[in-house]
Amino acid sequence: MATGEKGSLPRPGSSPSSTDKDSALWMSPTSIFSKQHLMEDVEGERATFPLAAYCFMTGFVDSVCFSAIFVWCAFQTGNTVQLALALARLFQGPPGERDTSFHLADKQALTSVLTFIFGAFIGRIGDRMGSKTRAWLFLGTFIQTLFTMSAAICIWKSGQPSTADARSDPAWSNALSFATIGFMSASMGLQGIMGKRVNTQFATTIVLTTVWCELMADPKLFQLRRAASRDHKVIGIVALFVGGFAGRAILDSIGSAGALGVGTGIRFLISVWWFFVPGKQTQNK
């Protein structure tokens, strides 16, 4: 077949035409939902947008939770230490005068820790499906969406206020508010293990203390050129900060139920975005 004829193949080593490039970039709905596309591993270094959005959601969800009860749904270090202090209180003072009650704040911290672990355990499903496949990244993020939606419904039905004025008087105290804490923490636990499995500079996307330390220790910290190891860490930190700011601003405008409803929509958009993250095969072609 002649080279110039219609439908002919390009010569080996020749550069593809603009039409060929456009065809390579365009993806039909059939190809997006094909088994090969869904079960392909994504390239973690090219998943900047959804991972940065994960960090945004960490700040967003934590701002809603902390504003109401001064407990973090994502940062379990503080909750774990709080439970340790609750246990130490049992040995404070002389016998007979010790405070043996389980305070409301301690109950909320325990709820957050346990449900966070439950959400992280759900992430083990990804080990069977393929922790970096588009199918699991979509499904796992969609489960996070359902958890966030459930939290929004629970706090809406609870009738509890959105903000607290003092740590000694949390805004949430009834059973439905505890369910809200549980769903929010479970979503963060699942997000954390999924972020860890993708294995990028964004780390777990929920605990940024390590990211701060790694950023300060990065040998390319002051390099003027682009450096992924530094730039992605900065993006994650900024995204979390913006998420916390946006969460509190929306919370003040429409309440905690409305804010979590907005968070539900954002999580759904993230889940869909995983379909369009380039895969490792795509990068190597």
Side-chain angles (χ1 to χ4, degrees), residues 244-275:
F245 180 87
R248 179 63 194 220
I250 295 173
L251 173 69
D252 289 338
S253 299
I254 58 178
S256 53
L260 289 173
V262 173
T264 300
I266 296 173
R267 282 208 188 277
F268 180 74
L269 293 177
I270 300 171
S271 66
V272 174
W273 191 266
W274 283 114
F275 287 135

Side-chain angles (χ1 to χ4, degrees), residues 3-41:
T3 307
E5 293 181 7
K6 182 179 180 181
S8 62
L9 297 175
R11 293 178 180 177
S14 62
S15 59
S17 64
S18 59
T19 305
D20 295 332
K21 291 180 180 179
D22 293 340
S23 300
L25 293 174
W26 182 79
M27 298 179 66
S28 66
T30 304
S31 63
I32 291 175
F33 295 106
S34 66
K35 183 176 180 181
Q36 179 182 0
H37 183 74
L38 292 176
M39 299 310 296
E40 181 185 17
D41 285 358

Side-chain angles (χ1 to χ4, degrees), residues 6-165:
K6 182 179 180 181
S8 62
L9 297 175
R11 293 178 180 177
S14 62
S15 59
S17 64
S18 59
T19 305
D20 295 332
K21 291 180 180 179
D22 293 340
S23 300
L25 293 174
W26 182 79
M27 298 179 66
S28 66
T30 304
S31 63
I32 291 175
F33 295 106
S34 66
K35 183 176 180 181
Q36 179 182 0
H37 183 74
L38 292 176
M39 299 310 296
E40 181 185 17
D41 285 358
V42 302
E43 177 58 49
E45 296 302 323
R46 304 177 73 183
T48 303
F49 177 84
L51 291 174
Y54 269 4
C55 294
F56 175 90
M57 286 306 302
T58 299
F60 191 98
V61 171
D62 266 335
S63 68
V64 175
C65 187
F66 189 80
S67 296
I69 59 174
F70 302 99
V71 168
W72 305 109
C73 286
F75 309 144
Q76 297 304 322
T77 302
N79 294 337
T80 303
V81 173
Q82 183 174 335
L83 293 175
L85 296 177
L87 181 62
R89 217 170 31 239
L90 298 176
F91 305 95
Q92 181 180 356
E97 299 181 8
R98 294 172 180 170
D99 183 5
T100 58
S101 62
F102 199 33
H103 296 181
L104 177 61
D106 301 331
K107 295 176 183 178
Q108 292 168 335
L110 179 61
T111 300
S112 181
V113 170
L114 294 179
T115 51
F116 181 93
I117 294 171
F118 169 75
F121 185 77
I122 294 176
R124 306 284 299 188
I125 298 174
D127 295 340
R128 295 183 174 274
M129 292 181 60
S131 57
K132 294 185 180 181
T133 60
R134 293 189 183 92
W136 165 243
L137 291 170
F138 165 78
L139 177 60
T141 309
F142 186 71
I143 294 174
Q144 297 172 34
T145 303
L146 296 179
F147 282 152
T148 309
M149 181 181 67
S150 300
I153 294 174
C154 286
I155 199 59
W156 171 52
K157 289 293 186 180
S158 71
Q160 301 262 267
S162 300
T163 58
D165 296 326

Side-chain angles (χ1 to χ4, degrees), residues 146-207:
L146 296 179
F147 282 152
T148 309
M149 181 181 67
S150 300
I153 294 174
C154 286
I155 199 59
W156 171 52
K157 289 293 186 180
S158 71
Q160 301 262 267
S162 300
T163 58
D165 296 326
R167 289 178 180 269
S168 58
D169 186 25
W172 298 350
S173 58
N174 61 18
L176 281 175
S177 68
F178 271 85
T180 301
I181 298 168
F183 283 123
M184 293 169 70
S185 299
S187 73
M188 298 313 303
L190 179 55
Q191 175 186 308
I193 193 171
M194 290 179 65
K196 180 64 177 177
R197 288 290 194 262
V198 177
N199 192 27
T200 65
Q201 301 296 331
F202 289 92
T204 63
T205 72
I206 56 175
V207 181

